[in-house]
Amino acid sequence: MVEKILPNSSKLVENNPDHIVAITQKFWSYPDRFHVDPDLNWSHIDEHLYVPPYYVSEKVLENKTWADPEDFTKIKGRKFQSYESPILLNKDGKPLNPRGPTGIEGRGILGRWGANFAADPIVTRINDEGFLEMISIKRSDCGQWALPGGMVDKGERVTKTLQRELGEEASAYLNFEKASLIYQGYVDDPRNTDNAWMETDAYHLHLTKNEANSINLQANDDAADAKWMTCSKQEIDNLYASHSDLVKGAISIFEKHNNLIVLENGKVIIKSAA
Ligand code: RP5
């Protein structure tokens, strides 16, 4: 069943991602970030004192397929769409990161000005020992374990993106039409900049034993590894970007719907009636 969550639901989800990764971490090719405090917002900024480096990767500048032109005024009919709307613009008309300054101007390695839309599948099972596990991939760009998500192609339905990305990265082929929507909004991603950032649709699909047994996980595409990861606090807390918040959101809904409790080590127990 697809849960009904209002647009802009990032503000309604308990585990709303914050803005720590995007100001303290960076993609390997980025210059050092200008130091900013996490609670700084655009109205606090004095443009004489805030002087972040401007960075856009060559890959983005050269690409004509998935990247916007560097001169953002040439984007035909472009409205800066976002789950976090309305989006603030700077004095030149460039979109501003909804969570505040990140210490880098420009688009970095992200192709779109403003929100870059991804989709994240959270696929779980309960293993033979009674522990909740989820499909996780090791990202080849940073070596961190992450959800097997990816960018939504132009005109692609999100359920199709979820299916395609899971297949491409982990060789698991599933239908997401009956998955539950967990989150729509900003992702606290190390690639985010002042003018370009990640947003996602995260969906949860829980598999029966038979469904899970039919999957033979294998890393592909830009994944260095793929595995069933135990949903223990320790493993989840170390996931890429704000993926731990997405997984925690999925687990909490799963617990409520099934009258279960997932312990810190990932073990699933039935909630007592009392
Ligand atoms: C994250 O980046 C999203 O949550 C998604 O998992 C991922 C998409 O980017 P690529 O994996 O395609 O680089 O922000």
Side-chain angles (χ1 to χ4, degrees):
M1 182 191 72
V2 176
E3 294 220 327
K4 287 271 177 282
I5 297 191
L6 297 170
N8 242 345
S9 63
S10 63
K11 296 186 181 70
L12 304 177
V13 172
E14 240 173 76
N15 295 301
N16 196 13
D18 52 24
H19 190 45
I20 295 296
V21 173
I23 62 170
T24 56
Q25 296 179 23
K26 65 185 186 75
F27 189 71
W28 62 268
S29 66
Y30 284 20
D32 286 344
R33 291 184 186 274
F34 189 91
H35 177 79
V36 287
D37 287 329
D39 47 3
L40 201 66
N41 67 43
W42 292 108
S43 62
H44 298 138
I45 287 292
D46 176 337
E47 60 183 41
H48 301 293
L49 299 177
Y50 179 61
V51 278
Y54 186 95
Y55 177 71
V56 52
S57 126
E58 286 298 318
K59 262 192 181 171
V60 171
L61 289 174
E62 283 161 11
N63 192 285
K64 303 264 180 291
T65 324
W66 49 263
D68 287 337
E70 175 61 1
D71 179 356
F72 70 96
T73 60
K74 293 202 174 120
I75 309 167
K76 288 191 194 98
R78 176 102 156 98
K79 290 196 186 86
F80 296 112
Q81 285 174 340
S82 165
Y83 287 122
E84 309 277 334
S85 59
I87 290 299
L88 293 176
L89 305 179
N90 72 4
K91 62 177 180 346
D92 304 325
K94 286 181 185 158
L96 290 172
N97 187 309
R99 299 300 164 99
T102 65
I104 295 183
E105 272 182 340
R107 284 174 292 164
I109 189 77
L110 300 177
R112 314 297 302 268
W113 289 99
N116 287 252
F117 291 100
D120 283 296
I122 303 167
V123 178
T124 57
R125 71 172 181 186
I126 297 176
N127 72 9
D128 291 342
E129 287 75 44
F131 287 84
L132 188 69
E133 293 183 322
M134 65 162 195
I135 297 180
S136 178
I137 56 106
K138 192 177 201 173
R139 292 182 64 96
S140 50
D141 58 356
C142 62
Q144 257 187 297
W145 288 93
L147 292 170
M151 309 305 293
V152 180
D153 287 343
K154 207 169 173 220
E156 188 177 46
R157 287 179 62 219
V158 165
T159 45
K160 183 78 193 46
T161 311
L162 296 163
Q163 185 178 39
R164 178 177 56 72
E165 286 290 337
L166 186 67
E168 284 173 8
E169 299 197 349
S171 316
Y173 303 95
L174 296 169
N175 184 327
F176 282 87
E177 294 303 327
K178 291 188 177 157
S180 305
L181 176 61
I182 299 297
Y183 175 80
Q184 291 177 310
Y186 185 82
V187 183
D188 192 15
D189 190 291
R191 295 169 294 184
N192 291 352
T193 69
D194 287 359
N195 311 115
W197 59 90
M198 295 297 304
E199 295 193 16
T200 198
D201 278 61
Y203 278 77
H204 177 217
L205 189 62
H206 184 71
L207 303 182
T208 62
K209 204 172 185 167
N210 281 347
E211 286 167 336
N213 282 345
S214 70
I215 292 174
N216 179 19
L217 290 183
Q218 264 177 332
N220 259 322
D221 201 34
D222 51 4
D225 202 355
K227 69 173 180 184
W228 285 102
M229 171 183 276
T230 309
C231 293
S232 65
K233 184 177 177 330
Q234 198 190 356
E235 296 267 35
I236 292 169
D237 281 350
N238 286 314
L239 289 172
Y240 177 76
S242 44
H243 286 183
S244 59
D245 293 301
L246 305 180
V247 175
K248 283 175 194 166
I251 292 177
S252 127
I253 293 174
F254 175 72
E255 287 176 319
K256 269 183 220 145
H257 282 184
N258 297 287
N259 215 29
L260 297 170
I261 294 175
V262 180
L263 302 178
E264 281 205 357
N265 64 359
K267 181 94 180 169
V268 181
I269 59 168
I270 296 170
K271 196 174 174 186
S272 67

